[in-house]
Amino acid sequence: MADLSVTFAKTIKSPNPFWLASAPPTNSGFQVMRAFDAGWGGAVWKTIGEPIVNTTSRYSSIDYNGVRMMGLNNIELITDRPIEDNLREIYEVKKRFPHHAVIASLMVDSKRETWHDIVKRTEDAGADGLELNFGCPHGMSERGMGSAVGQVPEYCEMITAWVKEVARTPVLIKLTPNVTNIALIGRAARKGGADGLSAINTFNSITSIDLDDLAPRPKVSGKSAHGGYCGPAVKPIALNMVHTLNADPEIRIPVSGIGGIATWQDAAEFILLGCSSVQVCTAVMHYGFRIVEDMIDGLSNWMDEKGFKTLDDFRGASIARLEDWGNLDLNYKIIASIDPEKCIGCDLCHIACWDAAHQCIHIEGEGREAPTRVEKESAMNFLAPPAHHPLHVHEPVLHSRGITTRYVGLSGNGRQGQAPPPTTSLHSSTEDAPPALRSNRVPYVDEEECVGCNLCWLVCPVDSCITMKEVRTGLPFESFNDRTKRLAKVSTCEPPST
Amino acid sequence: MAIKNKYVQISPEEFDRNFADIHPPLTPNAAVIEASRCLFCFDAPCTIACPTHIDVPKFIKKIATRNLRGSARTILEANILGASCSKVCPVEVLCEGACVMNHHNEKPIQIALLQRHAMDWAHDHQFQPFVPGTANGKKVACIGGGPASLACAAELAQLGYAVTIFERKPLAGGLNTYGIAEYKLTPEDALREVESVRKLGVKFECKVEIGGQSSSGKLDSIPNPTLRSVSLQSLERDFDAIFVGIGLGDTTDLEVPGEHLEGVVDALTFIEDYKTKRTKCKVGRRVAVIGAGNTAIDAATAAVRLGVPEVRMVYRRSEAEMPAFAYEYELAKGDGVIFNWRTQPVKIHGKKAVEKLECVSMRLGKPDKTGRRRPEPVPRSKFFIECDMVIKSLGQTKHDDFLKAVPLLKRSRDGRVLVDEKTCQTSNPKFFAGGDCVNGGREVVDAVADGKKAAHGIETWIRRNG
Ligand SMILES: Cc1cc2nc3c(=O)[nH]c(=O)nc-3n(C[C@H](O)[C@H](O)[C@H](O)COP(=O)(O)OP(=O)(O)OC[C@H]3O[C@@H](n4cnc5c(N)ncnc54)[C@H](O)[C@@H]3O)c2cc1C
Ligand SMILES: Cc1cc2nc3c(=O)[nH]c(=O)nc-3n(C[C@H](O)[C@H](O)[C@H](O)COP(=O)(O)O)c2cc1C
Ligand code: SF4
Ligand code: SF4
Ligand code: SF4
C-alpha cells in the first residue's frame, strides 16, 4: 500500500494529506478527536480570536438538479468560544493524537502586540503550526481583519513578519480568492517569511433570493449579508488559483489546497498541481467525517495502480502540463466519432451542434449531403440557415388560443418514419401507422466540418458513446506564438515587433 | 345478483386500503430529482409516442425549475384530461416505453408520475388555464360524456362554440367515471375533470339517451324511468355539427347454456357496481373471470381487493396469446389470481344460481387471420370448476342499433365508425366521431386525441361551410 504520509513545511507531520479546514467541523476538541478517529490526518482549528456573536441563520446553498449543496454560502464569523477553551482543547487533542497535525487558525486585531500574544499562547498549547486567517470575506473584514488584510500585499507581508518574529512553529497564510492576482499576495506572504500557504478561503457571494418574500439568503430577520461561497461549485476556480501559486517561481513554499474537495480524485488533482496537503470543509458539513474513508482508500488504490509509492512521486506532475494558450499546437486535430451501438438516440449532440456549434452532426434520413464550406459561407445571409441543410419544419397547428406550431421534421425528403402522409380517404384509425417514431435516431458526424470543439462529447449522456479521435494532419507542431513569429519573418511590409 | 354461498364483504377501511392508489404521487423533491434526470431530448420520442403529443421534455423541465403553473399549462394545452391520463395511461407502451433511457440501461423517466405531479398542483391551486372563446353562434352536440366527447367539447368551447354533451348515465366521464380500476382512478378524480370542462361553458345533459331504442318508443333494457330520450333527428335539426363519442356497448355474450343464472355478471356491470356501491357490492367466495384482456384483469384484481378468497381467470388460449398488457398480467399474478389457460367454458351449472363451470381443455392449432394460433378443443377433456360467481369479459359489442340509425354512416366490417384520419369526419359530413367507437377500444388518451382532432375538424368544416 502506498505511503500517504505528509511532512508539511519540514515539521508538520500527518499520516495522510487529508486535513479538516478551519470551519465548523473543527470547532471543538470533541469534534477534532472524532475526526481523527474517523481517519482524518490533520485539522486546522476553527479560527481563534476574541470570541464573536453569530447570527441565526448563517448558511444557504445552491442545489443543482436535485443534488443538495453544490455550493455553500455562510455568513458565520470566527469561533464564538473563549480563547482559553480552544487552547485547552488543542492541548488535550495533541496529547491524545501526537502524530496527527493540529494547526491553529488565528485572527486578531492588526496590532503587533496582540499577534505576538496570541501566537505565544497558541504554541504553548501545543499546536503544530499556525494558519493566519487573511481570507474571511465577511464580517471580520469590515473590522479590518480577514480578507481586509489578505487583499493588500503590504498588510499581508507586515503581519506575517510580526508573527514570524515570535513563532517557533511553521506559519501558514490562508489566502482569500477575492483578489485579481493571487500570486501577488502569495509573494507578499513569502516575503514576510511565511512557511506555507493555504488556498483558498471562500468567495464573496450572494447565493439566492427568496422569490416569495424577495429576501436574499441566508435570511436574518428578512435581510442578509454577502457571504463566503465554497463547496463543489468552486473547485475549478480553486484549482486555477492553486496552480497560479505553485507555478510562481517567486513563491516556492508548500501549499495546502482547499476549495470544493469532496473525493480522492479532487485531492489527487490538487496534489498533481503541487499541493502538499488538502483541506476539506463543505463535504464534511454535508456528509460527516466518514467521507475520509474512501478518500484514503481511493487515493491509495490509485497510487498503487499508477506505481506511486509516496505523494512526492506525483506531486506537481501536472503543473508543467498547463501552458500559455499561445504555446498550444495549432496543428493538432481531433474530430467527434459516434458509436452507433452505444447511442440511445436522444439527439442532444445534434441539437447542441446545430444550435450552438458548427452544424455538423446530422440525422440519417435527412436525405441530403452535408454542405461544403463554400456552400455554407455563400448561404450566410444571416437569415436562412446554410442553404444546403434541410430546414426544420414546423407545421402550423390550430389551437383555440391561436395558431402555434408543431415540429414535423425536416424539409426535403423528410425523416424516416415521420407522421404518415395526409389522407382524405375514409379509413379507420386503428389502421393508422404506429406512432411516428423515427426509425433511426442515431446521428452522424460530418467529419469535414467538425472542428473538434468537444461540445457533443460533453453533452452526450452515454459514457464513451462519442469519442474524440485524433486526425493525422501531417503537419509539424506549430503554436500561435510560433506562427506569429513565422509570419512576421515572412511579412515584407512590417518589421517584426519586439 | 344473488349468490349461492355467503357474500364476501369488507369494511370501508379495508376498501380504502385495498383500492388505494397503485402509483402513489411523488413528493415535491422526488419530482425535481426525477425531472432532472430527463435528458431534454431533441424531437423527443416520448412526445411522439403520446397520442396527444404532450411536449413531455418541456413540461418536465418546468417541474425541475418548480414552474408548476407552466408545466400544468403545457400538459393541459395538449390534453385536457392530463390528470386522468397521468393515472390511467399504459405508459409502458406509450411515452415511457419510447423514452431513450430504456436504451441507457436505466429506468425510463417516470413521465406519468411527473405529469400527475403537475396535475395535482393544478388541482390544489384550482388552476384553470383556459377560458371560453367569444361565442360564434354555432352549436355542437356531443353524444356520450366520455373522454372523447370531453376533449372535443373543451376544445370547441374555447373556440366559441356552444356545446352540449348528452350522456345517458347519471354522471358524465364515461368509463373514466364508471369503468377504470379504482386503484388507478376514482370517480371523484374523473368528475373533477368533468367540472373543468363544465367551467368552459359546456352544457351537460345527463340521463339523456340519443337515438337508440328508448327514442323509438321502447324503454331502455334496464327500466329507468328517469332516462329521457332525444331523437337523432331533433339533434340534427338543432345543432350545426354532431360528435359521436359513444364508446363501446355491452359485454359480448358467452353464448353457453346457463348464462342467465344468478351470479353470472358481465365485467363492465361488475366494475361499475363496485365503483359506485363500493363495500355494498356483493361478490362470491369463488369467482371465475372469463377472458384475459385488460378488462378481465381489472375485474379479477377488483374481486381480489373486494376480499374474494379464490379468483381465477379462464382463457381459451395460452399465456403467450393473452391480450392484456404484460404489467397488468404481473399485477394479477401478484394479487394471487389463479390462471386456467387453454380452458373453454361450455356450460354454467346451477339450480337458480351459479354452482360450477363446465369446461373443456383446448390446444392451439394453426394461426388464424390475427396471427394467433386458433384454439381447438381436446376431445373428452371435460372438467368442472367450482364457483359461485362468473364474470364475463369477452370484449365489448359495438352500438349497432344506434350507429345504424345515423344516416349515411359508413362502418368497418367489424362495426367501427370510419372517419377521416385528420379531421375525424365521418361519411355523413355533419357527423364526426372519435374514441372507442372509432378505434374499437383503445385507451383514454387515444379518445382525447380523437376528440381534439375532431374539434378542429368541426371548426374547419363549419368555417368552410359558412
Ligand atoms: C374496464 C375497463 C378498464 C379500462 N382501463 C383503462 C386504463 O386503465 N387506461 C386507459 O387508458 N384506458 C382504459 N380503458 C379504456 C378507456 O376507458 C376507453 O378507451 C375510453 O374511456 C374511451 O372513451 P370514449 O369517450 O370513446 O368512450 P366511453 O368512455 O365509453 O364513453 C362513452 C359514453 O357514451 C355514453 N353513451 C353511449 N351511448 C349513448 C347514447 N346513445 N346516448 C347518450 N350517451 C351514450 C356512455 O354511457 C358512455 O358514458 C378501460 C376500459 C374498460 C372497459
Ligand atoms: C460555515 C463556514 C465557516 C467557515 N469558517 C472559516 C473560518 O473560521 N476560518 C477560515 O479560515 N475559513 C473558514 N471557512 C472557509 C473554509 O475553511 C474553506 O476555506 C472553504 O469552505 C473552502 O473549502 P470547501 O470548498 O471544502 O468548503 C468557513 C467555511 C464555512 C462553510
Ligand atoms: S448525444 Fe450521444 S446518445 Fe445522444 S444522440 Fe448523440 S451520440 Fe447518441
Ligand atoms: S397523456 Fe399518457 S401517454 Fe401522454 S404523456 Fe401523459 S401519461 Fe404519457
Ligand atoms: S425520451 Fe425520456 S429522457 Fe428523452 S425527453 Fe422524453 S422523457 Fe426525457
Side-chain angles (χ1 to χ4, degrees):
Chain A
M1 202 186 116
D3 174 9
L4 299 186
S5 68
V6 166
T7 303
F8 191 103
K10 297 202 182 73
T11 58
I12 303 176
K13 292 186 191 299
S14 70
N16 63 49
F18 302 110
W19 297 356
L20 291 172
S22 171
T26 57
N27 210 21
S28 66
F30 169 76
Q31 287 163 285
V32 173
M33 285 194 270
R34 286 189 55 226
F36 287 170
D37 280 337
W40 291 91
V44 185
W45 211 270
K46 172 76 186 172
T47 305
I48 301 167
E50 283 311 323
I52 51 71
V53 179
N54 270 313
T55 57
T56 55
S57 60
R58 307 166 202 180
Y59 311 147
S60 71
S61 74
I62 297 291
D63 300 342
Y64 189 73
N65 274 0
V67 176
R68 298 288 194 214
M69 278 170 58
M70 289 304 294
L72 175 68
N73 161 298
N74 81 88
I75 55 167
E76 184 173 297
L77 307 182
I78 63 170
T79 186
D80 55 4
R81 305 171 67 231
I83 297 178
E84 309 76 59
D85 291 7
N86 281 307
L87 297 182
R88 193 182 58 247
E89 287 171 21
I90 288 180
Y91 173 78
E92 279 160 17
V93 171
K94 256 334 275 189
K95 211 164 65 180
R96 291 223 359 225
F97 292 90
H99 304 300
H100 286 64
V102 176
I103 293 149
S105 168
L106 302 175
M107 188 198 290
V108 290
D109 277 345
S110 300
K111 294 196 196 103
R112 191 174 184 173
E113 298 69 39
T114 321
W115 275 105
H116 281 182
D117 177 59
I118 189 79
V119 167
K120 284 182 199 148
R121 285 167 71 190
T122 313
E123 290 191 334
D124 288 345
D128 298 306
L130 308 172
E131 185 183 272
L132 312 191
N133 181 348
F134 292 171
C136 186
H138 49 263
M140 305 309 288
S141 52
E142 292 141 27
R143 308 174 197 187
M145 294 183 260
S147 63
V149 177
Q151 285 167 333
V152 185
E154 293 73 23
Y155 290 173
C156 171
E157 181 182 340
M158 177 178 76
I159 295 180
T160 310
W162 288 347
V163 170
K164 282 300 286 183
E165 285 165 4
V166 292
R168 287 166 282 130
T169 59
V171 174
L172 283 64
I173 308 303
K174 184 159 179 181
L175 302 180
T176 174
N178 299 308
V179 291
T180 2
N181 183 359
I182 199 164
L184 298 182
I185 316 291
R187 288 178 202 160
R190 168 79 207 254
K191 270 197 218 133
D195 303 287
L197 301 172
S198 298
I200 51 171
N201 210 309
T202 54
F203 289 84
N204 272 329
S205 67
I206 296 164
T207 34
S208 65
I209 294 175
D210 184 329
L211 295 179
D212 286 330
D213 66 7
L214 314 190
R217 299 189 177 96
K219 292 187 234 174
V220 181
S221 169
K223 295 214 170 163
S224 192
H226 69 88
Y229 195 52
C230 51
V234 309
K235 191 192 93 176
I237 314 173
L239 275 177
N240 181 51
M241 292 191 150
V242 157
H243 174 261
T244 305
L245 296 171
N246 281 327
D248 192 305
E250 291 177 41
I251 297 181
R252 296 270 176 257
I253 48 175
V255 173
S256 185
I258 319 173
I261 298 169
T263 65
W264 64 266
Q265 288 105 321
D266 298 335
E269 289 168 19
F270 276 84
I271 299 170
L272 282 165
L273 289 180
C275 292
S276 299
S277 73
V278 294
Q279 298 182 28
V280 179
C281 164
T282 304
V284 169
M285 291 182 71
H286 197 162
Y287 301 109
F289 294 132
R290 65 194 166 138
I291 57 156
V292 78
E293 291 164 14
D294 183 59
M295 291 179 141
I296 295 171
D297 187 42
L299 184 63
S300 133
N301 289 340
W302 174 74
M303 286 171 66
D304 289 349
E305 253 167 54
K306 290 275 170 198
F308 298 136
K309 303 229 152 30
T310 68
L311 299 179
D312 286 333
D313 289 356
F314 67 98
R315 184 190 321 286
S318 299
I319 296 180
R321 300 283 278 274
L322 276 134
E323 273 285 358
D324 282 345
W325 189 91
N327 292 331
L328 300 178
D329 185 4
L330 294 179
N331 288 335
Y332 172 76
K333 183 163 162 64
I334 53 170
I335 54 169
S337 159
I338 296 172
D339 179 350
E341 293 300 314
K342 294 204 173 104
C343 174
I344 59 171
C346 66
D347 291 349
L348 285 179
C349 57
H350 162 71
I351 199 63
C353 188
W354 186 276
D355 284 0
H358 295 83
Q359 301 84 43
C360 54
I361 297 187
H362 310 293
I363 297 162
E364 204 158 340
E366 286 174 5
R368 289 172 180 245
E369 320 238 326
T372 64
R373 183 172 299 281
V374 177
E375 284 168 323
K376 218 167 156 180
E377 277 162 11
S378 63
M380 294 269 191
N381 59 9
F382 301 103
L383 287 173
H388 214 96
H389 281 268
L391 292 171
H392 292 272
V393 178
H394 293 259
E395 174 190 77
V397 174
L398 186 65
H399 273 286
S400 35
R401 290 154 299 282
I403 290 177
T404 57
T405 56
R406 181 177 78 92
Y407 183 71
V408 289
L410 294 163
S411 67
N413 297 353
R415 278 203 196 112
Q416 290 169 25
Q418 275 301 329
T423 166
T424 46
S425 67
L426 273 183
H427 66 279
S428 150
S429 57
T430 43
E431 284 141 28
D432 280 1
L437 286 175
R438 245 191 285 137
S439 58
N440 188 4
R441 297 183 58 91
V442 181
Y444 68 91
V445 179
D446 176 348
E447 303 195 338
E448 289 299 303
E449 288 291 294
C450 173
V451 300
C453 71
N454 275 358
L455 181 63
C456 58
W457 173 58
L458 295 174
V459 302
C460 178
V462 183
D463 276 347
S464 58
C465 171
I466 296 184
T467 39
M468 301 304 295
K469 297 222 163 93
E470 188 170 350
V471 183
R472 302 247 162 259
T473 55
L475 299 169
F477 178 100
E478 187 182 45
S479 70
F480 172 77
N481 292 345
D482 295 341
R483 192 171 289 182
T484 24
K485 269 188 226 138
R486 177 165 60 85
L487 294 179
K489 263 186 230 145
V490 192
S491 158
T492 49
C493 330
E494 278 176 44
S497 59
T498 39
Chain B
M1 86 211 85
I3 281 162
K4 194 174 152 247
N5 292 328
K6 267 188 22 213
Y7 302 120
V8 175
Q9 194 149 22
I10 56 172
S11 67
E13 293 72 38
E14 281 173 300
F15 188 96
D16 287 344
R17 199 163 354 107
N18 294 354
F19 286 96
D21 217 326
I22 196 162
H23 298 299
L26 295 168
T27 61
N29 207 44
V32 170
I33 293 172
E34 185 62 15
S36 305
R37 281 181 63 223
C38 169
L39 298 172
F40 204 56
C41 292
F42 169 70
D43 190 14
C46 48
T47 294
I48 300 170
C50 169
T52 57
H53 303 307
I54 293 179
D55 191 333
V56 174
K58 183 168 165 180
F59 91 72
I60 288 184
K61 276 294 158 212
K62 288 176 192 289
I63 293 179
T65 67
R66 298 185 199 258
N67 174 8
L68 291 171
R69 173 185 298 269
S71 184
R73 175 184 278 278
T74 304
I75 295 163
L76 292 169
E77 275 179 356
N79 182 336
I80 192 83
L81 300 194
S84 55
C85 280
S86 75
K87 294 178 174 178
V88 309
C89 273
V91 287
E92 291 79 356
V93 299
L94 296 172
C95 53
E96 292 183 17
C99 175
V100 298
M101 284 296 195
N102 289 302
H103 310 298
H104 202 6
N105 293 331
E106 281 188 44
K107 269 178 57 181
I109 305 302
Q110 299 191 48
I111 299 170
L113 278 179
L114 289 169
Q115 183 171 320
R116 169 167 180 184
H117 183 70
M119 291 293 91
D120 284 349
W121 179 92
H123 172 68
D124 295 344
H125 293 77
Q126 302 192 5
F127 178 58
Q128 178 83 25
F130 312 126
V131 288
T134 333
N136 64 7
K138 302 286 180 193
K139 289 165 72 185
V140 177
C142 294
I143 311 179
S149 288
L150 290 174
C152 183
E155 209 71 18
L156 286 172
Q158 294 170 69
L159 292 167
Y161 288 82
V163 189
T164 309
I165 288 184
F166 295 95
E167 167 59 59
R168 68 173 170 195
K169 292 246 155 85
L171 296 169
L175 288 170
N176 263 5
T177 304
Y178 291 105
I180 307 270
E182 186 78 8
Y183 47 78
K184 290 185 194 162
L185 189 76
T186 63
E188 293 73 53
D189 291 334
L191 293 171
R192 227 190 247 169
E193 284 180 327
V194 171
E195 280 321 298
S196 74
V197 176
R198 198 193 303 276
K199 286 205 185 103
L200 289 171
V202 172
K203 269 211 309 197
F204 285 81
E205 296 273 5
C206 285
K207 297 192 221 168
V208 174
E209 182 172 56
I210 305 299
Q213 297 169 331
S214 40
S215 58
S216 60
K218 281 182 271 168
L219 260 187
D220 204 38
S221 50
I222 312 163
N224 184 349
T226 57
L227 185 72
R228 222 159 33 89
S229 88
V230 170
S231 74
L232 254 179
Q233 291 74 3
S234 66
L235 229 56
E236 283 192 81
R237 194 182 55 232
D238 296 343
F239 292 88
D240 297 289
I242 295 167
F243 176 75
V244 181
I246 55 173
L248 295 173
D250 297 336
T251 304
T252 314
D253 284 337
L254 290 175
E255 289 169 2
V256 300
E259 199 163 355
H260 60 278
L261 287 172
E262 283 179 19
V264 182
V265 61
D266 75 89
L268 289 184
T269 311
F270 166 68
I271 291 168
E272 180 176 331
D273 233 39
Y274 91 78
K275 279 181 73 84
T276 47
K277 299 192 191 133
R278 297 168 74 86
T279 55
K280 288 186 200 84
C281 167
K282 292 175 175 160
V283 279
R285 311 198 135 256
R286 289 196 253 181
V287 172
V289 179
I290 297 171
N294 290 316
T295 301
I297 299 250
D298 281 3
T301 54
V304 171
R305 275 151 228 262
L306 288 167
V308 177
E310 185 185 298
V311 179
R312 62 178 69 240
M313 294 183 65
V314 178
Y315 182 50
R316 63 195 177 121
R317 303 179 203 244
S318 67
E319 199 171 349
E321 288 84 21
M322 84 184 290
F325 294 127
Y327 51 87
E328 296 282 5
Y329 177 36
E330 289 304 315
L331 182 69
K333 281 200 285 191
D335 278 359
V337 173
I338 305 162
F339 290 87
N340 287 100
W341 303 114
R342 291 183 300 277
T343 301
Q344 171 95 304
V346 292
K347 188 172 175 187
I348 305 171
H349 294 265
K351 287 197 194 71
K352 213 168 137 251
V354 181
E355 287 166 23
K356 59 189 173 192
L357 195 61
E358 181 183 329
C359 302
V360 291
S361 293
M362 306 293 278
R363 63 180 170 212
L364 295 175
K366 298 230 164 57
D368 63 12
K369 66 174 185 309
T370 68
R372 294 184 304 176
R373 291 167 69 193
R374 188 195 295 279
E376 50 194 42
V378 177
R380 285 184 302 283
S381 63
K382 182 171 90 176
F383 68 102
F384 292 93
I385 293 171
E386 303 273 330
C387 56
D388 47 24
M389 186 170 175
V390 171
I391 300 177
K392 303 184 283 182
S393 186
L394 297 183
Q396 288 166 262
T397 58
K398 315 288 184 308
H399 284 291
D400 286 330
D401 292 341
F402 174 89
L403 294 171
K404 264 184 220 142
V406 181
L408 301 175
L409 190 73
K410 277 200 196 141
R411 292 200 288 154
S412 68
R413 230 175 295 137
D414 59 354
R416 289 171 290 130
V417 180
L418 290 175
V419 295
D420 171 76
E421 184 193 90
K422 279 200 129 178
T423 59
C424 285
Q425 193 166 30
T426 70
S427 47
N428 177 337
K430 196 166 183 172
F431 284 78
F432 293 73
D436 279 1
C437 67
V438 166
N439 61 37
R442 273 207 235 167
E443 315 303 330
V444 172
V445 66
D446 296 292
V448 174
D450 280 359
K452 212 171 64 165
K453 234 193 295 177
H456 294 293
I458 291 170
E459 160 84 344
T460 316
W461 181 72
I462 286 189
R463 280 202 188 182
R464 199 181 306 135
N465 294 282

